[in-house]
Amino acid sequence: MQIKTKTGVTTRSPRSKGCLMCRRSKVKCNEGHPQCSRCVRRGTECSYPDALELDFRDENSKAAARTAALWRTRTQAARLLREPSAPSRTLEDLHDRVIASFYRDFDCSAKVSNPWIEFFQMLPTLYRQSARVPSSPTRQAIRALALAHHSRQQQQPVPQLEIMARTEYSHAITQIRLQLQRSHGVPSTETVVSVALMGLFDSILPSPDPVHSWHAAHQHGAISMVRQQIASPTSAASIDPYLLKYQYLLMVINCLNQRSRPQLPLKWWAAVMNPGFSAAHLFCTMYRLAQWQAEIDSHIVTFNHHAMSNMVDTLLAADDALDAWETQLPPSSHFSEREVGGDDPAILQWSGAPSRVYVYETSWNAVPRTFCFATRIMICQNILLCHGYAQDAEQTIVEMIRHICRSTHAVISGGGDGSNDAEEGLSMRGRAIVWPLNVAASALQRNPRVLAQVGVESAQWTRRALQHVLRLSGSSLALNLDYKTEQ
């Protein structure tokens, strides 16, 4: 890919090495887009390697190179982890212990099918099945993730646990590479699952050398693999729908945060969503919002004010539709409201905490509403971006932030009253509220008028709550929020 610098000099992207046809012919490519000059002259089809896959393979190569050094420390790490009271504990005992903890914290062992965690409910079965295949990357990927999670949950850092986690991570990467080589680059569901787990690992234990490593490489690699599978009618049906839904949700949330277009088509997500699933309309709106944001950004660059005005109408219609969707949610998704009491957890006793909270039937029933609140904030932020100022949109942002704050405890407590499911799935529930809280905190930081209406103290509580759930979920996401009292 060619890039024009501010000085007008054309340079080449370091990742680009020519089109596929020139690569096969081993000739120099001028990397013209959409077709290079050689392919134009010869009348041949011109296409370039998938940038997402290249990033993924680059990261794999770096991870695989670390395997040997980490392996030498593994035996010592296992010995140091043995407790004096149980000298006979084996490495397998440790794996069983941390995997059981991971299953509990991420609700992998939930008996009732849950659309919010169904990808994680797949993992115990995949782990058992992979025991019969020594070359399977899935078993090592799950072990790596469990060890990483266990390492983050300890009160005191345990370097040996991190060493073991990174060792399993590197071996999983090696097996993924070998599996792709054996299948001539055609990914299987097991391969995509393993790569998706490596992406989750990166969010818990990021690379110690972040300057030379891209934390989203594996997530983008999984997207590239899914895109490769759905491009073929014969292989599309083989993609596990649980895996597909998980990848789509991650992709859309990241596209919303980064204001980029989704790399996978909506039709495949819609095809695997149960029409009776209450969040189906919400997910489709989130996907379309990611597309709309990218269009808005292009209109801003081209000064297309007419298109931006039309986009306001689209966004207002989407917000009205979400408001109507919320009123039609089933009774199980409804909530009651109560005052905060002295017996409530510490998070509700902090300065700036909401004085009233929402009580849902279960934690997971609170998730679609909190996602809806966050999506409406982002819709209204884009209305303000296109319109300049819109009092109704600004007031909706303030209202949605308050809704998210009042629902936060219901998501992470196991229920609005804190009495149900106190431990099971705690880390997974923490992850479910991270995005809504992050959207709320970002809106408070960006818009002084919204901050003035919500209040600096409440804004500070929102940030503390976000930090709290990041710790609960084991995420390594760093925060850089600074609310000032001067308006």
Side-chain angles (χ1 to χ4, degrees):
M1 180 183 297
Q2 294 182 335
I3 302 172
K4 182 165 285 187
T5 65
K6 293 180 179 179
T7 60
V9 178
T10 300
T11 61
R12 298 182 188 274
S13 165
R15 291 192 181 278
S16 181
K17 296 181 180 179
C19 74
L20 296 177
M21 185 61 70
C22 291
R23 285 185 175 197
R24 282 196 290 268
S25 302
K26 297 182 179 179
V27 297
K28 188 175 181 180
C29 178
N30 78 331
E31 300 175 17
H33 284 269
Q35 291 182 304
C36 74
S37 58
R38 184 172 183 272
C39 288
V40 171
R41 288 196 308 270
R42 296 172 64 90
T44 55
E45 181 181 353
C46 186
S47 60
Y48 289 85
D50 188 337
L52 300 182
E53 185 178 356
L54 289 176
D55 283 320
F56 160 65
R57 292 185 184 278
D58 285 350
E59 176 61 23
N60 270 8
S61 299
K62 296 171 188 174
R66 294 193 291 263
T67 301
L70 288 170
W71 180 257
R72 287 194 293 270
T73 63
R74 180 175 177 174
T75 303
Q76 180 185 8
R79 177 177 56 80
L80 291 171
L81 282 167
R82 292 180 186 141
E83 298 174 7
S85 59
S88 62
R89 176 171 290 147
T90 65
L91 192 59
E92 205 60 38
D93 293 332
L94 175 64
H95 285 151
D96 290 343
R97 187 154 52 95
V98 298
I99 287 172
S101 175
F102 169 72
Y103 286 170
R104 181 197 67 224
D105 293 347
F106 279 75
D107 235 5
C108 302
S109 303
K111 304 301 181 186
V112 179
S113 178
N114 185 330
W116 296 97
I117 57 169
E118 53 198 5
F119 170 77
F120 293 89
Q121 289 179 292
M122 295 169 54
L123 300 185
T125 300
L126 290 175
Y127 188 76
R128 290 193 300 270
Q129 292 174 346
S130 63
R132 300 190 293 269
V133 186
S135 61
S136 168
T138 308
R139 190 172 184 83
Q140 287 168 319
I142 294 174
R143 280 181 174 176
L145 192 55
L147 284 162
H149 173 68
H150 194 63
S151 175
R152 284 298 300 265
Q153 295 299 320
Q154 302 306 300
Q155 294 297 322
Q156 298 295 328
V158 183
Q160 294 80 16
L161 270 178
E162 183 174 335
I163 290 171
M164 296 178 71
R166 294 192 185 281
T167 300
E168 294 290 349
Y169 169 93
S170 295
H171 280 286
I173 295 299
T174 301
Q175 292 300 334
I176 290 170
R177 288 161 58 88
L178 292 173
Q179 195 172 68
L180 286 171
Q181 289 172 5
R182 287 191 295 267
S183 63
H184 305 288
V186 179
S188 64
T189 292
E190 181 192 21
T191 307
V192 185
V193 168
S194 301
V195 174
L197 293 176
M198 294 295 88
L200 185 55
F201 179 101
D202 292 338
S203 73
I204 296 175
L205 283 181
S207 170
D209 188 12
V211 175
H212 299 98
S213 178
W214 186 34
H215 73 278
H218 291 111
Q219 183 181 326
H220 279 219
I223 292 173
S224 175
M225 291 178 179
V226 169
R227 185 163 60 192
Q228 183 178 345
Q229 284 194 319
I230 65 179
S232 169
T234 56
S235 64
S238 67
I239 304 177
D240 191 291
Y242 294 166
L243 169 62
L244 199 60
K245 285 184 276 188
Y246 174 70
Q247 278 304 127
Y248 261 97
L249 185 58
L250 281 184
M251 175 192 70
V252 167
I253 288 177
N254 277 290
C255 287
L256 287 170
N257 291 341
Q258 298 167 9
R259 300 188 69 86
S260 59
R261 291 183 184 275
Q263 301 96 337
L264 298 172
L266 177 59
K267 63 179 182 179
W268 289 107
W269 199 11
V272 295
M273 275 194 273
N274 184 342
F277 179 38
S278 61
H281 171 77
L282 171 64
F283 284 169
C284 290
T285 302
M286 290 168 62
Y287 182 99
R288 294 188 181 103
L289 177 58
Q291 292 180 314
W292 295 333
Q293 287 188 159
E295 291 177 21
I296 289 170
D297 291 346
S298 67
H299 296 329
I300 291 174
V301 171
T302 58
F303 301 100
N304 192 337
H305 301 295
H306 178 70
M308 289 176 66
S309 178
N310 290 339
M311 191 61 74
V312 170
D313 294 335
T314 300
L315 293 168
L316 286 170
D319 188 54
D320 289 342
L322 273 185
D323 193 19
W325 167 83
E326 191 186 351
T327 63
Q328 297 170 4
L329 284 171
S332 60
S333 295
H334 293 178
F335 59 83
S336 58
E337 196 173 351
R338 67 167 175 82
E339 294 280 350
V340 172
D343 295 333
D344 279 313
I347 186 174
L348 295 178
Q349 312 301 330
W350 296 340
S351 176
S355 58
R356 300 181 66 82
V357 292
Y358 297 154
V359 180
Y360 294 81
E361 186 176 306
T362 70
S363 287
W364 293 114
N365 289 346
V367 174
R369 281 190 184 272
T370 57
F371 271 51
C372 174
F373 301 149
T375 303
R376 292 189 66 188
I377 288 174
M378 299 195 82
I379 286 174
C380 291
Q381 284 179 314
N382 282 282
I383 291 173
L384 294 175
L385 187 61
C386 292
H387 196 276
Y389 175 72
Q391 185 175 0
D392 289 346
E394 208 164 74
Q395 192 56 47
T396 298
I397 293 175
V398 172
E399 182 182 346
M400 294 303 112
I401 290 174
R402 288 171 177 158
H403 283 321
I404 290 172
C405 292
R406 291 179 179 180
S407 297
T408 295
H409 176 61
V411 176
I412 62 177
S413 70
D417 58 2
S419 62
N420 302 317
D421 308 321
E423 297 298 330
E424 294 291 326
L426 185 58
S427 293
M428 194 67 241
R429 295 202 307 274
R431 285 184 173 263
I433 195 66
V434 164
W435 182 63
L437 276 173
N438 192 48
V439 170
S442 176
L444 287 162
Q445 187 181 30
R446 292 178 181 179
N447 193 321
R449 290 188 297 269
V450 169
L451 176 60
Q453 293 182 67
V454 173
V456 172
E457 195 172 45
S458 294
Q460 293 285 11
W461 180 88
T462 304
R463 179 174 64 175
R464 287 191 69 190
L466 177 55
Q467 292 171 326
H468 176 69
V469 297
L470 286 170
R471 285 192 295 269
L472 278 181
S473 63
S475 174
S476 61
L477 177 67
L479 299 178
N480 183 22
L481 303 174
D482 182 21
Y483 303 112
K484 302 185 185 301
T485 55
E486 298 89 353
Q487 300 302 317

